Amino acid sequence: MKSRVLALVSALAASWVVLGTPAKAFELNGSWATDPSACGQVFIKKDGMISFRQDSDQYGSGFIMEGDRVRGQMQTCTINRRKEDGNVIHMVAVCANDIMASNVQFSAKIIDDNTIARVFPGMPEFTLSYSRCTM
């Protein structure tokens, strides 16, 4: 009888460990470009820091994700809420440029480890794909 109870307790403990472990969040950190072949024209890495090249807008769009900070070619955003819903990451951020600050809501659908698609609420047929740049 004791062995059955011990086996049941062990099984419950093992399932608690497996089910209680949070799923690994998708890693967005790094540089992302709309055209993966233009990564070298959009971004530059200097002294270990990734930034936009001077004329990067001529080669496509992109962003740099660093934790809860997102840098675009024209503005910087701080993510204050993030939620993963299956293969979609929803984010709310405060974004600022030289003129003003605003709240922005955006979502990214995970295609694979190196590809995401920005999805727009109310327009599911419209997406903008980004590829991870290796720097």
Side-chain angles (χ1 to χ4, degrees), residues 41-42 52-61 73-74:
Q41 287 82 29
V42 176
F52 288 94
R53 287 190 176 272
Q54 187 77 25
D55 58 353
S56 62
D57 58 336
Q58 295 178 22
Y59 300 97
S61 179
Q73 291 161 312
M74 301 298 288

Side-chain angles (χ1 to χ4, degrees), residues 1-132:
M1 182 70 167
K2 284 186 179 181
S3 62
R4 284 186 186 171
V5 171
L6 185 57
L8 179 61
V9 169
S10 295
L12 288 174
S15 66
W16 176 75
V17 168
V18 171
L19 296 175
T21 304
K24 182 180 176 236
F26 182 75
E27 182 59 54
L28 272 172
N29 283 331
S31 54
W32 297 81
T34 52
D35 180 0
S37 67
C39 287
Q41 287 82 29
V42 176
F43 302 107
I44 186 169
K45 188 172 187 176
K46 186 175 181 182
D47 298 328
M49 297 287 299
I50 300 171
S51 59
F52 288 94
R53 287 190 176 272
Q54 187 77 25
D55 58 353
S56 62
D57 58 336
Q58 295 178 22
Y59 300 97
S61 179
F63 65 92
I64 301 166
M65 184 73 137
E66 300 164 319
D68 284 336
R69 189 171 155 215
V70 182
R71 288 186 289 143
Q73 291 161 312
M74 301 298 288
Q75 64 183 354
T76 298
C77 303
T78 301
I79 298 169
N80 51 20
R81 283 190 290 163
R82 180 188 317 227
K83 177 185 172 193
E84 286 195 37
D85 184 16
N87 67 338
V88 178
I89 303 170
H90 302 283
M91 294 168 269
V92 176
V94 176
C95 298
N97 59 23
D98 292 341
I99 299 171
M100 64 182 284
S102 60
N103 287 324
V104 176
Q105 206 174 359
F106 55 97
S107 299
K109 182 178 181 181
I110 302 165
I111 307 301
D112 59 39
D113 286 345
N114 296 308
T115 312
I116 60 172
R118 182 169 180 192
V119 292
F120 297 86
M123 296 186 293
E125 70 282 353
F126 184 67
T127 62
L128 186 56
S129 293
Y130 290 90
S131 297
R132 187 184 307 269

